Amino acid sequence: MNMNTLLDQTKPLVPQQAIWQQIDDLALEALYDELSLENKPGLVCPSSNGSHTDMNHQTFINSITSLKGYFSALSQLGYDDRPFDELKNMGIYQEQKMRAATHNINTHKGAIFNLGFVCAAIGRSIQASIPLTAKNVCEQLVARWQFDLTNRLQREPNSHGQKMFQKHGITGAIEMVANGFDVIQNEALPCFYHTIERTQDFEKASMQTLMTLISVLSDTNIVWRGGIKDLNNAQALAKNFLQAGGVHQANWRQKVSNISRYFIHHNLSPGGSADLLAVTIFFYKVENEFNYPI
């Protein structure tokens, strides 16, 4: 679907609801893609629970199923320029649905927040007749909600993110979203495009991007489970993997397995990097679905 078709609301073949549904489908696909990536260091995948004892692959499937319709709703709220509190309350309601589906296990709180605001910003972009590129969508997000996210969103003082900020000065998901996902625009998405163009392999592009995120992100999940030293070690392992060629090495899967064993042995899980991988994949899908051919 090209942008002219998307933005021409007079055409009965592409009603707004069909667009919101398509965005919802792409967001859910991105979450499935992230979950399905095998051998992610310390993370749940189809064949392993990683460093987690309270969740498994089926827990995540149940969680993703509970999210159906949420991203469609956020896209429409963004399009209609609804107040910030409506978006926030929709996210709170969705988190309750997720926890009911997972027996109160937090599987996708990050995705509800991250992808939710991306979808709202997509709605704003469509309303403004702006092409759906990651850059444009993030600009809309910053322009419309940065102030509210920074100044009006109540921080949970006992959350992992806030404790890490108070102890180490590490910022978390709120700042990442409020600033328009700088690490995705500057690091993750270019990496994904470069790798998939070079290899024509979605798995390789996903793993290379995940390792890039781990190498640069101050992942509060890693710091919470370990500490600053563990974060430094995790970043160093990812950087060494990338400097040695990353997924372009013949034995890249074995090297990822070695890193994964280290993460599991030290009970580390780069959950923040996993969340951002899903957002990166979603941006890739949206850019290719809605902007070609022009």
Side-chain angles (χ1 to χ4, degrees):
M1 184 188 302
N2 63 38
M3 285 302 298
N4 291 332
T5 302
L6 174 67
L7 299 173
D8 185 356
Q9 301 298 336
T10 66
K11 292 186 177 182
L13 293 178
V14 192
Q16 285 184 15
Q17 191 55 47
I19 298 169
W20 310 146
Q21 184 59 58
Q22 190 170 8
I23 292 168
D24 197 77
D25 291 343
L26 294 176
L28 296 175
E29 282 179 15
L31 292 174
Y32 279 119
D33 288 338
E34 184 278 318
L35 173 62
S36 300
L37 181 62
E38 284 284 12
N39 214 16
K40 300 185 297 289
L43 296 161
V44 173
C45 64
S47 64
S48 171
N49 296 347
S51 300
H52 299 272
T53 58
D54 61 340
M55 60 183 74
N56 56 33
H57 183 255
Q58 188 59 50
T59 312
F60 276 81
I61 292 292
N62 295 341
S63 179
I64 294 172
T65 301
S66 77
L67 298 177
K68 187 173 178 60
Y70 169 68
F71 302 110
S72 171
L74 265 290
S75 300
Q76 187 160 6
L77 289 177
Y79 182 88
D80 293 337
D81 199 21
R82 303 303 301 165
F84 174 76
D85 285 345
E86 285 194 32
L87 278 68
K88 181 186 72 173
N89 291 337
M90 182 68 77
I92 292 171
Y93 171 71
Q94 183 57 56
E95 184 182 345
Q96 293 170 347
K97 282 184 62 180
M98 175 202 73
R99 290 185 178 275
T102 62
H103 304 289
N104 204 36
I105 295 171
N106 174 18
T107 43
H108 284 112
K109 183 175 181 178
I112 290 170
F113 181 64
N114 293 336
L115 279 176
F117 272 96
V118 170
C119 288
I122 286 174
R124 293 300 310 140
S125 299
I126 293 173
Q127 175 64 264
S129 300
I130 297 172
L132 299 184
T133 65
K135 180 177 182 294
N136 290 343
V137 170
C138 288
E139 286 177 353
Q140 289 294 307
L141 195 165
V142 170
R144 180 63 182 86
W145 294 295
Q146 184 180 65
F147 178 84
D148 290 320
L149 288 167
T150 303
N151 298 286
R152 297 190 58 231
L153 193 62
Q154 184 176 357
R155 269 63 167 173
E156 298 177 19
N158 293 321
S159 70
H160 293 178
Q162 282 305 295
K163 287 184 177 180
M164 294 304 94
F165 177 72
Q166 292 160 12
K167 187 174 182 179
H168 302 291
I170 297 174
T171 57
I174 294 174
E175 291 76 18
M176 179 68 65
V177 175
N179 292 323
F181 296 99
D182 287 340
V183 70
I184 291 180
Q185 291 196 70
N186 298 327
E187 302 278 352
L189 194 57
C191 171
F192 194 95
Y193 268 105
H194 174 76
T195 308
I196 206 163
E197 288 168 2
R198 177 175 172 181
T199 67
Q200 300 300 305
D201 189 313
F202 196 90
E203 178 195 13
K204 288 183 178 180
S206 298
M207 185 60 74
Q208 187 82 346
T209 302
L210 176 62
M211 288 300 191
T212 297
L213 285 164
I214 293 172
S215 75
V216 298
L217 189 67
S218 295
D219 196 313
T220 56
N221 289 267
I222 293 177
V223 181
W224 173 258
R225 282 173 165 262
I228 292 296
K229 183 178 179 181
D230 289 285
L231 173 65
N232 292 336
N233 290 341
Q235 289 178 331
L237 285 170
K239 287 175 183 175
N240 290 341
F241 171 79
L242 295 169
Q243 289 170 358
V247 299
H248 306 296
Q249 306 168 82
N251 62 339
W252 71 269
R253 285 189 177 85
Q254 183 57 53
K255 292 200 172 184
V256 171
S257 293
N258 295 340
I259 295 172
S260 187
R261 280 195 293 272
Y262 177 91
F263 274 56
I264 293 171
H265 179 73
H266 290 83
N267 195 35
L268 305 178
S269 177
S273 299
D275 287 343
L276 294 184
L277 173 62
V279 177
T280 302
I281 293 172
F282 179 59
F283 274 132
Y284 173 79
K285 289 176 180 288
V286 168
E287 287 192 342
N288 285 274
E289 185 70 22
F290 290 115
N291 295 324
Y292 299 95
I294 295 177

